[in-house]
Amino acid sequence: MIKDHEIAAAVNALRDIAVQYHASGQLRERISALVVPLLRASQADVDRVNWLQRAGSVSLGVVIDAPHDGDFCLDSDLVDTQYGKTLREAIDRAIVVEAAAAPRPLSWED
């Protein structure tokens, strides 16, 4: 997730790039060099939200006084209960478990 101060810094950097390279053929390349890493950094959060949207019924909680004490737990229609120190970690584990259980497409080697 991109933080507010990172967004402000990116906007300022874009302004500086536009001023410096407005008349050159490098403007698109310079803007791309700044924007693409920011978009790629936020892709993991987008993937998590997309997974939650298609997961069906989702239950989230924090475990207290049981195995996984202090961990977040996630249970959904797609996977059994997954745990993580953070909610992101629990969602990431659920995504991995679902992907591992999905049938793989046939290939020429099959």
Side-chain angles (χ1 to χ4, degrees), residues 60-90:
L60 303 170
V62 177
V63 179
I64 299 174
D65 290 336
H68 299 285
D69 184 39
D71 286 355
F72 286 87
C73 62
L74 177 146
D75 190 43
S76 77
D77 291 342
L78 296 178
V79 296
D80 291 331
T81 305
Q82 299 298 312
Y83 301 93
K85 295 294 179 193
T86 64
L87 184 53
R88 283 186 174 109
E89 186 178 309

Side-chain angles (χ1 to χ4, degrees), residues 30-105:
R30 297 291 178 151
I31 289 174
S32 175
L34 176 73
V35 172
V36 169
L38 293 173
L39 294 174
R40 287 197 175 129
S42 65
Q43 185 60 46
D45 284 331
V46 171
D47 292 343
R48 289 181 190 107
V49 170
N50 288 340
W51 186 86
L52 286 169
Q53 287 177 332
R54 64 183 180 77
S57 178
V58 176
S59 298
L60 303 170
V62 177
V63 179
I64 299 174
D65 290 336
H68 299 285
D69 184 39
D71 286 355
F72 286 87
C73 62
L74 177 146
D75 190 43
S76 77
D77 291 342
L78 296 178
V79 296
D80 291 331
T81 305
Q82 299 298 312
Y83 301 93
K85 295 294 179 193
T86 64
L87 184 53
R88 283 186 174 109
E89 186 178 309
I91 295 169
D92 289 345
R93 288 183 179 179
I95 291 169
V96 168
V97 167
E98 182 203 10
R104 69 180 183 88

